[in-house]
Amino acid sequence: MKQFRKPHLAVLVAAAMALAGCADDGKDGAPGEPGTPGEPGPGTPPPTVEMTEMTNVKVLNFAVEEGQVVYEIEVTDQDGTLVVGLDAVEGKFASWTERGYVLSRSGEGTLGGYGNLSTEGAVLEMGEPGQYTFTLPMANVTPGEEGLLWLRVGASDGPIMRSKPMVVNKPENTHSSTTAACNACHVDYATSSLKHPSYSAIDMEGEGDLVGGCLICHNSVSRADENGGYATNTLSKIAHVNHPENGFERDFSVLNCATCHETTPINTSIAGPGCVDCHNPGAAVGPISPNADPNFDIRAIHGQKIALAEIDTLRTTHKTTLSAPYWDAAVAWEGGGTGAICTDLKLFKVEGETETQLDIGALYADHTLVYASAYIHAYDSETDSLIGRPSPFNAQQYVARDDGTRAICYPSLAAADGSYGTQYSVANLVASSRLTFAQTGWVDDDGKDGVSFTNYSDVVSTDYFDGVAAPSFTKESGFERRLAVTNDSCVSCHNSETNYHKNGGYQNGGVDCLACHNNGQNRASKFSGPGFGPMVHSMHWGEGNTKLSEDGTPNSASKLNAENCVTCHADGIDLYAIPNRYMLSRAYNEGGDSKVMSSPVTANCYACHTSDSAMNHMTQNGGEINVVADPMWFTTPTAESCATCHAEGKSFGIEKFHVFER
C-alpha cells in the first residue's frame, strides 16, 4: 500500500483543486510582489474527508513511556486527502525479552500490552486536520523499552475504513526469517484464504512486513507457557512444525533452513525459541542463547542431516554431456542382428578449469551411480516440442566405450502406439539422459537415493524412417524448449532437492520432468493433466491434487492461493507465445480412449477450471478437450481464441484474475 508523504500530498491536493475548478488564485504577495499561483491563501484550510474507501497512515512520532504508548499520526484517504472524524484505532506492543517477543494477555508477569479506544484511559485527540495523538495505556511498559510496536486505524464497517496493520517499530536482529522468503510461496498473504489474512502488515515505508505482523500475536513464547505470549502457536512452531505436519509441500524439508532464514538464526539453545519446537516439543520456551560467533552457522548443522553440502558439491563438481542420436552398425543384439541407434552419455569431474572424464560403468558397478540411461524422442522444430518417444521402453543396450562413455543403444525406433507411426517420419530426433549419484539418506518415492543430472542432446534429422539400412543423421540445431517458469520456481517450495520419481528432480524449472511429461508422451499422470503445464497445475490445485492424498482430501498445496501465478511464472505469461498446436490428452480421459487430443491453452486452464460453465466458455471460444486425435496432431492448428481476450493487457487479461507481480 502506498504511504503518502507530505510532498506527494501537496501535489495531490493542488491537482484535485485545479481539476475541480476551485483552485484559489494564490496567496497575496508582499507589497509590490506577485502572489504564488496555485497555493491557498492565508488561513485557507486544506481539504478533508470523513469517509474513506482506503485509509493510509503515516506515523509522525511515537514514544514508549511509563505505563503507556503514545502515537502521533497523520491519516489520509486513498487520494491523499486528510481524514477527520477518526473514531477507531488500536495498538499493540510485544516486549523484547530474553525469550524473544512476548505480548501477554493477562495475569502475573504480564509483558507488553494492547488496546483500543475502549481501553480505560485511552485518548484520541486531533490537532491539525488529519493529525492525531493516540495515547494507549499499557500498565507494564517502561520508558524506552524495546519491543515490536503495532498500529491500525479505522473500522472494517467504515465510514473510515480499516487501514492495513503497521509495524511502527521493530528492534534490529530479532529474527532471521524474512517476508521475502515467506512470499516465495505465499506471494501475498493478504489476498489468501489462510487464517486472518487481514493481519498482513506493512512497515513505516509502506513495504510488506509479514513476519513482523505475525510476530505481534504469534510471539516467540506460547500462551501456554508461564508468563507466556498472546497466541498458543508461536510463529516458529507454525514454520517448523505445522508446515511439515500439514503436508505443506511434497519434498519440503524443514532442515533446509535457508529456505526461510536468510541469515543464521539468532538463538543456538535447543531450549530457546525456535529450537525447542523440534528438540523438545511441548516444553516451555527458555532463554535465547545468542550466536556470538559470526562464523558459526547453525543452518549448516541442520543441512548436514539431509546432505545439502554434499548435494551441492556433487552438482558443482560434476557435469554430463549427451551426443545427438547416431547409427552404430557394430552393435550386436542377443538373438541375432546388428546395428543400433545410439546416444553417448559422458560424465566429467570438474575442478576449476579442468574437466576429467569418469568411467560410468565402473562407477555404476561400485554403486556410486544408481542410474545412467537415455531416451530418444521425436522433436518438432517448429514448436520446439517433444512429441513422443519412439525408443521402445526397456529395449536399450548399454555399450561401454574405452574412455568411460556409456552408449545407450536401441535396436529400432517405433511408435509407442502403432497408429501414430506417421508422426515420426516427419519429425526430428533428440535424446535425453539422466544420471544419478547415490546419496545416503536422500530417497525418492521409488526407493532410490540420488542426485540427478539431466541432459538433452542436439537435434538431428534422419532418413531412418525411410527404411535405410545405414541411416544418416544430420544436425539441425541445439535443443530448445519454451519454458514459462523460472529456473528456481520449483525449488522455492520443493527445497529438499529430493528426486520426485524415476530419478527426476526439480532443478531448472522442472526441465528434468519434460523427458517424460511432454505434449506427446500421453501419460495418464494420475489422470490429472496432460503434458507438463496442465499436469503441474492440476497436481497443485486441480483434480490431481485430490489424488495425491491417500484419504482423498486435497493436500495442503491447495491452501496456497492458486491465483498467485507469480510463484512459478515470475516473468508473466504470454498466451500468444503458446504454440497453436494440439497436445495428446489421455490424462483427461480416465477409463476412455487414449487416442485423444486437446487444445493447449484450454488444457492448461481446464486443469483448475473444471466446472461445466468454465468448460462451456472454453468450447464456445474454440477450445477442445479430448477430441479424436489426428495422427499429425502436433502440426494441426487449433481454433481456440483464448489470447484474444485473455492475453496480458487485454480487457479480460489473465493478469486481472491471477497475480503476476509481487
Side-chain angles (χ1 to χ4, degrees):
M1 181 184 295
K2 186 172 182 180
Q3 298 298 299
F4 290 102
R5 301 297 188 257
K6 285 186 177 179
H8 303 97
L9 182 62
V11 172
L12 285 169
V13 170
M17 293 175 67
L19 287 173
C22 59
D24 192 85
D25 288 337
K27 293 181 180 179
D28 292 334
E33 294 181 11
T36 304
E39 291 189 8
T44 303
T48 60
V49 295
E50 297 181 3
M51 299 178 63
T52 68
E53 297 176 10
M54 178 184 295
T55 306
N56 300 309
V57 182
K58 176 182 178 180
V59 176
L60 305 174
N61 197 12
F62 66 89
V64 179
E65 301 177 348
E66 185 68 41
Q68 65 181 21
V69 173
V70 180
Y71 305 84
E72 294 180 8
I73 60 176
E74 181 178 85
V75 183
T76 57
D77 71 356
Q78 64 280 356
D79 298 318
T81 307
L82 294 168
V83 173
V84 297
L86 180 68
D87 61 359
V89 58
E90 56 181 321
K92 298 177 183 178
F93 180 76
S95 296
W96 177 246
T97 74
E98 66 173 3
R99 297 184 297 165
Y101 286 113
V102 181
L103 167 55
S104 306
R105 286 183 181 253
S106 61
E108 191 175 337
T110 295
L111 293 165
Y114 60 95
N116 52 36
L117 284 180
S118 65
T119 301
E120 184 177 355
V123 177
L124 178 66
E125 298 175 307
M126 188 178 80
E128 296 293 326
Q131 296 189 358
Y132 299 85
T133 299
F134 175 43
T135 303
L136 179 60
M138 293 183 184
N140 299 289
V141 302
T142 58
E145 182 178 353
E146 286 287 301
L148 185 62
L149 185 60
W150 180 98
L151 174 73
R152 181 157 61 180
V153 307
S156 58
D157 55 357
I160 298 171
M161 297 302 296
R162 192 163 65 173
S163 69
K164 276 194 173 184
M166 176 180 285
V167 176
V168 176
N169 186 57
K170 180 173 63 177
E172 293 184 0
N173 302 319
T174 55
H175 63 79
S176 56
S177 53
T178 66
T179 295
C182 298
N183 284 344
C185 298
H186 293 296
V187 180
D188 185 0
Y189 197 94
T191 65
S192 75
S193 57
L194 297 174
K195 289 188 177 180
H196 35 247
S198 65
Y199 281 82
S200 299
I202 58 176
D203 63 18
M204 292 273 278
E205 300 303 318
E207 301 296 327
D209 189 353
L210 181 61
V211 176
C214 295
L215 271 173
I216 193 66
C217 292
H218 294 281
N219 306 155
S220 309
V221 180
S222 171
R223 181 171 52 167
D225 290 3
E226 184 178 356
N227 300 333
Y230 190 87
T232 301
N233 277 334
T234 65
L235 184 58
S236 64
K237 183 183 177 184
I238 291 171
H240 295 156
V241 179
N242 295 3
H243 274 79
E245 282 190 354
N246 290 338
F248 164 65
E249 185 51 88
R250 185 189 180 95
D251 305 322
F252 168 81
S253 174
V254 72
L255 295 174
N256 194 344
C257 308
T259 298
C260 298
H261 296 282
E262 290 190 354
T263 58
T264 189
I266 62 172
N267 172 55
T268 59
S269 168
I270 61 174
C275 301
V276 71
D277 299 327
C278 300
H279 291 282
N280 194 5
V285 174
I288 293 171
S289 178
N291 182 7
D293 183 354
N295 297 315
F296 177 69
D297 191 342
I298 201 168
R299 296 172 302 175
I301 296 175
H302 292 84
Q304 289 175 7
K305 295 182 179 297
I306 52 174
L308 289 179
E310 294 177 54
I311 292 168
D312 183 64
T313 298
L314 281 172
R315 290 204 182 281
T316 57
T317 60
H318 293 82
K319 61 176 282 190
T320 60
T321 63
L322 187 66
S323 76
Y326 65 93
W327 178 256
D328 187 340
V331 175
W333 296 93
E334 184 177 348
T338 58
I341 297 177
C342 304
T343 179
D344 288 342
L345 177 61
K346 298 177 186 287
L347 171 65
F348 295 89
K349 180 70 176 292
V350 180
E351 298 172 295
E353 300 296 320
T354 304
E355 296 182 357
T356 305
Q357 187 173 351
L358 303 179
D359 189 324
I360 292 177
L363 293 174
Y364 197 88
D366 70 9
H367 304 294
T368 299
L369 299 176
V370 294
Y371 191 81
S373 194
Y375 298 112
I376 296 175
H377 307 269
Y379 179 84
D380 178 37
S381 294
E382 284 194 20
T383 59
D384 294 334
S385 297
L386 299 175
I387 57 171
R389 186 188 295 164
S391 51
F393 184 67
N394 278 344
Q396 72 273 13
Q397 176 184 171
Y398 300 125
V399 179
R401 308 299 190 190
D402 292 340
D403 62 358
T405 298
R406 168 173 279 194
I408 300 95
C409 300
Y410 289 88
S412 63
L413 296 182
D417 184 319
S419 63
Y420 294 112
T422 54
Q423 68 179 284
Y424 300 110
S425 64
V426 299
N428 290 324
L429 298 177
V430 68
S432 71
S433 65
R434 189 159 295 141
L435 179 145
T436 306
F437 280 90
Q439 179 62 54
T440 304
W442 191 54
V443 184
D444 68 9
D445 68 352
D446 292 327
K448 305 183 187 74
D449 305 341
V451 179
S452 291
F453 294 77
T454 295
N455 228 316
Y456 291 88
S457 76
D458 287 337
V459 177
V460 295
S461 58
T462 179
D463 57 2
Y464 170 85
F465 294 101
D466 295 333
V468 179
S472 63
F473 293 82
T474 304
K475 178 180 174 179
E476 295 292 330
S477 67
F479 173 76
E480 296 288 342
R481 176 62 163 82
R482 190 185 61 84
L483 196 64
V485 297
T486 51
N487 279 347
D488 60 354
S489 57
C490 301
V491 295
S492 292
C493 297
H494 303 282
N495 72 354
S496 71
E497 294 272 349
T498 307
N499 288 328
Y500 180 66
H501 70 163
K502 306 298 182 186
N503 296 288
Y506 297 102
Q507 289 68 39
N508 301 320
V511 168
D512 289 21
C513 308
L514 294 174
C516 297
H517 299 283
N518 53 67
N519 290 0
Q521 201 65 30
N522 212 15
R523 289 178 175 271
S525 302
K526 301 195 180 195
F527 294 97
S528 63
F532 183 56
M535 179 194 70
V536 171
H537 293 155
S538 182
M539 285 289 191
H540 282 83
W541 298 288
E543 180 72 12
N545 184 258
T546 63
K547 296 182 179 181
L548 288 177
S549 303
E550 292 182 1
D551 62 359
T553 59
N555 72 7
S556 63
S558 61
K559 294 182 180 178
L560 295 176
N561 189 346
E563 287 77 28
N564 282 335
C565 305
V566 70
T567 300
C568 297
H569 300 289
D571 299 324
I573 288 291
D574 183 357
L575 295 186
Y576 284 112
I578 298 174
N580 186 30
R581 298 292 187 270
Y582 286 95
M583 60 196 308
L584 298 182
S585 56
R586 173 189 171 206
Y588 280 154
N589 198 29
E590 185 171 1
D593 191 347
S594 65
K595 303 180 184 66
V596 291
M597 62 184 184
S598 297
S599 53
V601 177
T602 299
N604 276 274
C605 296
Y606 182 70
C608 297
H609 301 285
T610 56
S611 67
D612 289 343
S613 60
M615 191 68 253
N616 286 337
H617 173 76
M618 292 182 239
T619 55
Q620 287 171 6
N621 290 278
E624 294 179 290
I625 292 288
N626 291 341
V627 295
V628 176
D630 184 328
M632 296 299 290
W633 53 271
F634 65 96
T635 65
T636 306
T638 77
E640 66 180 8
S641 56
C642 310
T644 302
C645 296
H646 295 299
E648 287 192 88
K650 295 299 184 74
S651 300
F652 296 95
I654 190 171
E655 81 281 5
K656 292 179 173 61
F657 307 95
H658 304 78
V659 178
F660 286 103
E661 293 183 359
R662 293 197 181 279

